[in-house]
Amino acid sequence: MTVQTMLTSLIQAFGTTLFIFFFTLLGALPLGLLVNACRKSRFAPLSWLTKIYISIMRGTPLMLQLMVVYFGPSLLLGITVPGNWRSTAVVLAFVINYAAYFAEIYRGGIESIPIGQYEAAQVLGYSRLQTYFKIILPQMVKRVLPPVTNEVITLVKDTSLASVIGVVEMFTRAKQIAVAPHSPGMITFLAAAIFYYVFNYAVAFGMERLEKALDYYE
Amino acid sequence: MQVLEMEHVKKSFNGAALHVLRDISLHVDEGEVVAIIGPSGSGKSTLLRCATLLTEMDSGDLRYSGQTAARSGADGRAVYADKQTLKKIRGYFGLVFQNFHLFPHYSVLKNLTDAQISVLGRGKTEAQQRARELLAKMGLSDKEDAYPCQLSGGQQQRVAIARALAMDPAILFFDEPTSALDPELTGEILKVIRALAEEHMTMVIVTHEMDFARDVADRVIFMDGGVIVEEGKPEEVFAAPKEERTRQFLARFADR
């Protein structure tokens, strides 16, 4: 196998990495808001359940969560899973894990907003929903960007965990190639490392631009 | 018609351990300017917070232009009106905070127009016109595109006053509007409030600026220990206070 074949193969698998990455963010970023809202709910059982969920997501390995989501329905519940369950399960596991982390980040962001903002909005007559979406949320987004960037970068690297349930993303492919006969061997891992690094560099650059774009106010 | 009527307002914190307001009644006529003075912890700010529905009273009546926001129930506890009524009543008053509390992510213009549009349902053009009128009045016409963080404290407070006025309240409350400002910036705020008084805007001003209170108010209220100790025309209260506590308080200010 030539280096070129190896690279082509890695790039193909990188598509799966991107798939996991984008769908996780698409699901987890908004779901985190909902989780945070449930955690703050005045309905105590909902708040408790949400706290337990966050605690489990943060307290157990993502690798294990991937296995539970993928194997759980058939092994534990006896449900016949659809044929494309593998890619659904991987995104589902990542989304529910990352939503818990994002919820905690959002919580910190919302709690750091001065009470005066709520009071000013209330006196002006804004409803609770208007206050949340027009006054609190935009300011929260700015405050949480740095910690969210950290999580997003971690996510890029975490996608490699999908290999535990046999999803052929870039890292899985790299392992397959490296052990194949007549392959470029360890160079494959170096190539994979460079892919991850460059991708993360782009992510960090993009997030930095976003932070700068919100720098127009303090 | 009296714009604001508060009757027998009581409020305590920490269970009943800390009585902040002990049976306070306050009536404000249309066009009247009332200054509330008193030492820290006398309950002045809590009274404003109860009037503006930011803090719930334990008991007492609260009415705006005859509309009931809260009244004491049979057991003496304050019972508040339903959500719709309270929403309507919030339209009767405005509040200027000590620390401005402008919306930092909105430009000056948007700070003034957003609530007009999303709360009062005004059109964008009308809201902007009203906002620009008020900015001109505040001497801030050149700042409409600025963000609050780019303004001095005095300018921010003037924007906050304009934001409250943009909602056309029947009564405007000020909670120590100059206390967060550098001394050289208090003048510009007092000038604005003085101009509003000349237009007969109904106002209740909690302040530590004694000279200002004497100049601008139709009536001065001295609060201490959660009660109104003395009230009257400024020349009476300042020149010839009847109560010993008022005399002591004013003497402390005269010493400075």
Side-chain angles (χ1 to χ4, degrees):
Chain A
M1 187 188 279
T2 64
V3 169
Q4 197 175 350
T5 328
M6 177 271 281
L7 286 176
T8 315
S9 180
L10 278 187
I11 287 168
Q12 277 166 358
F14 188 61
T16 307
T17 298
L18 284 178
F19 169 87
I20 299 170
F21 175 78
F22 282 113
F23 279 94
T24 300
L25 288 185
L26 200 68
L29 285 170
L31 187 63
L33 282 179
L34 190 68
V35 171
N36 182 48
C38 291
R39 193 185 187 285
K40 285 277 176 75
S41 169
R42 281 182 238 172
F43 181 58
L46 183 59
S47 172
W48 274 107
L49 276 176
T50 315
K51 278 182 197 161
I52 292 167
Y53 152 70
I54 292 174
S55 164
I56 291 173
M57 288 299 128
R58 296 209 300 181
T60 59
L62 176 54
M63 191 184 275
L64 189 69
Q65 292 165 19
L66 276 159
M67 289 165 70
V68 169
V69 171
Y70 181 55
F71 297 115
S74 51
L75 292 186
L76 300 176
L77 306 172
I79 298 168
T80 316
V81 293
N84 58 354
W85 177 240
R86 200 191 299 270
S87 48
T88 313
V90 72
V91 169
L92 189 65
F94 270 95
V95 165
I96 59 170
N97 178 277
Y98 272 81
Y101 281 93
F102 286 139
E104 284 297 285
I105 291 175
Y106 297 159
R107 182 167 69 97
I110 285 179
E111 280 172 2
S112 74
I113 290 170
I115 187 98
Q117 292 289 304
Y118 292 89
E119 293 186 344
Q122 189 188 322
V123 169
L124 286 166
Y126 286 96
S127 68
R128 284 169 59 104
L129 228 56
Q130 284 175 325
T131 305
Y132 182 74
F133 283 107
K134 298 178 84 98
I135 310 300
I136 305 304
L137 196 60
Q139 297 187 54
M140 182 275 271
V141 167
K142 180 184 163 89
R143 283 162 194 247
V144 301
L145 269 184
V148 163
T149 303
N150 265 337
E151 282 306 309
V152 173
I153 285 174
T154 305
L155 171 62
V156 173
K157 295 174 288 184
D158 274 358
T159 53
S160 62
L161 291 173
S163 71
V164 76
I165 57 170
V167 173
V168 187
E169 43 63 62
M170 187 171 61
F171 193 70
T172 317
R173 179 62 56 81
K175 280 193 293 186
Q176 290 168 347
I177 295 172
V179 296
H182 313 294
S183 81
M186 287 300 136
I187 305 266
T188 319
F189 287 120
L190 180 64
I194 291 170
F195 272 112
Y196 282 119
Y197 182 82
V198 169
F199 185 41
N200 263 331
Y201 195 87
V203 167
F205 180 77
M207 294 300 277
E208 203 174 307
R209 289 293 291 268
L210 203 55
E211 276 180 48
K212 285 234 169 71
L214 291 176
D215 255 358
Y216 66 89
Y217 75 88
E218 273 164 18
Chain B
M1 165 98 65
Q2 289 187 315
V3 181
L4 170 69
E5 295 165 274
M6 296 179 92
E7 310 260 16
H8 307 297
V9 174
K10 289 179 191 160
K11 176 71 190 176
S12 48
F13 291 107
N14 300 336
L18 184 63
H19 293 279
V20 180
L21 299 176
R22 306 161 184 261
D23 198 353
I24 293 231
S25 295
L26 169 66
H27 293 218
V28 181
D29 285 325
E30 195 177 329
E32 199 181 12
V33 178
V34 176
I36 303 179
I37 58 172
S40 304
S42 59
K44 308 178 302 275
S45 290
T46 306
L47 183 65
L48 277 205
R49 292 180 61 86
C50 286
T52 52
L53 304 171
L54 289 175
T55 299
E56 279 198 12
M57 323 178 279
D58 293 337
S59 69
D61 293 2
L62 173 61
R63 282 186 298 277
Y64 280 93
S65 305
Q67 294 239 18
T68 300
R71 64 153 53 101
S72 286
D75 60 349
R77 307 283 306 174
V79 181
Y80 278 79
D82 60 273
K83 228 173 147 184
Q84 275 316 105
T85 312
L86 289 181
K87 185 177 161 68
K88 191 176 167 216
I89 282 172
R90 284 202 175 90
Y92 286 111
F93 60 78
L95 170 62
V96 174
F97 296 87
Q98 184 177 340
N99 295 311
F100 335 132
H101 299 323
L102 292 174
F103 302 132
H105 58 306
Y106 284 169
S107 69
V108 166
L109 189 67
K110 187 141 192 216
N111 263 283
L112 268 60
T113 56
D114 195 70
Q116 290 187 67
I117 295 165
S118 46
V119 176
L120 300 180
R122 284 183 186 157
K124 195 176 173 188
T125 326
E126 190 194 352
Q128 288 188 342
Q129 194 185 341
R130 179 84 181 108
R132 293 201 170 106
E133 249 170 59
L134 287 163
L135 285 177
K137 203 163 146 185
M138 300 290 151
L140 292 169
S141 288
D142 54 334
K143 299 291 184 195
E144 67 170 61
D145 294 323
Y147 283 85
C149 63
Q150 297 164 322
L151 304 178
S152 72
Q155 289 170 331
Q156 288 189 50
Q157 190 60 301
R158 278 184 280 158
V159 173
I161 295 171
R163 179 177 69 174
L165 288 170
M167 305 299 280
D168 295 322
I171 179 170
L172 191 51
F173 296 95
F174 293 82
D175 188 7
E176 304 191 19
T178 59
S179 295
L181 298 175
D182 293 334
E184 70 268 24
L185 297 177
T186 58
E188 59 188 83
I189 298 306
L190 301 183
K191 209 174 109 189
V192 166
I193 300 175
R194 200 167 273 140
L196 290 172
E198 279 161 18
E199 294 169 22
H200 303 292
M201 178 79 207
T202 312
M203 294 186 283
V204 175
I205 308 161
V206 169
T207 184
H208 288 299
E209 302 280 333
M210 293 305 144
D211 294 337
F212 171 70
R214 183 180 2 217
D215 284 359
V216 81
D218 299 313
R219 179 154 53 107
V220 172
I221 291 177
F222 171 65
M223 275 180 74
D224 193 12
V227 294
I228 292 178
V229 175
E230 184 164 358
E231 65 181 305
K233 289 188 162 41
E235 51 272 27
E236 295 166 6
V237 174
F238 284 106
K242 293 190 195 75
E243 300 291 329
E244 181 56 28
R245 273 197 281 177
T246 320
R247 261 195 291 275
Q248 283 173 359
F249 175 74
L250 292 172
R252 282 212 302 276
F253 270 88
D255 291 344
R256 288 197 193 163

